[in-house]
């Protein structure tokens, strides 16, 4: 049961992180464009406008995906409660891999949105 509880906590970290940072980025992007914290791509770091847009867009995606992943992850882990460690570990590992898809995959739609709204120099398209 201890291993199952450990895996439950580990598999809820990504959804909670997505919800927390998503909400944070939705409300306010990091004050300064930096290479340490935040949504950092060459396009998002062009200027303050692209920086704020990217954080709001990605933040919304993370927040929504986190809210969807949280109950799904909990239900999946409830389904393997009391099972052998190998089953719990395999299901938990697969679940974590699946959770990484929207976490990392959010870069693609965010970059597409940035390129639709801004030109290559970071100026808003009219």
């Amino acid at each position: 049961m201890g291993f199952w509880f450990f895996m439950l906590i580990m598999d809820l970290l990504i959804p909670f992180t997505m919800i927390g940072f998503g909400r944070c980025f939705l409300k306010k992007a990091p004050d300064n464009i930096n290479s340490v914290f935040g949504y950092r791509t060459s396009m998002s770091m062009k200027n303050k406008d692209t920086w704020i847009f990217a954080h709001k867009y990605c933040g919304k995606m993370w927040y929504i995906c986190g809210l969807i992943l949280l109950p799904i992850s909990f239900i999946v882990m409830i389904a393997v409660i009391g099972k052998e460690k190998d089953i719990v570990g395999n299901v938990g590992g697969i679940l974590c891999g699946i959770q990484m898809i929207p976490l990392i995959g959010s870069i693609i739609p965010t970059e597409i949105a940035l390129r639709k709204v801004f030109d290559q120099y970071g100026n808003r398209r009219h």
Side-chain angles (χ1 to χ4, degrees), residues 3-39:
F3 182 67
W4 176 86
F5 189 69
F6 170 78
M7 288 303 294
L8 174 67
I9 291 173
M10 293 299 105
D11 284 331
L12 295 180
L13 281 177
I14 292 174
F16 276 125
T17 299
M18 290 177 78
I19 292 168
F21 278 106
R23 189 164 166 83
C24 176
F25 289 165
L26 263 171
K27 288 186 174 214
K28 188 173 188 287
D31 289 332
N32 299 316
I33 299 171
N34 65 79
S35 59
V36 178
F37 177 72
Y39 182 88

Side-chain angles (χ1 to χ4, degrees), residues 75-101:
I75 290 167
V76 168
M77 289 307 292
I78 288 293
V80 296
I81 193 168
K83 303 282 188 203
E84 296 176 16
K85 282 185 179 181
D86 287 348
I87 294 172
V88 173
N90 288 337
V91 168
I94 291 167
L95 182 58
C96 184
I98 291 169
Q99 291 171 344
M100 294 300 289
I101 294 168

Side-chain angles (χ1 to χ4, degrees), residues 64-78:
I64 292 168
C65 288
L67 288 175
I68 293 168
L69 285 172
L70 187 64
I72 292 171
S73 301
F74 190 76
I75 290 167
V76 168
M77 289 307 292
I78 288 293

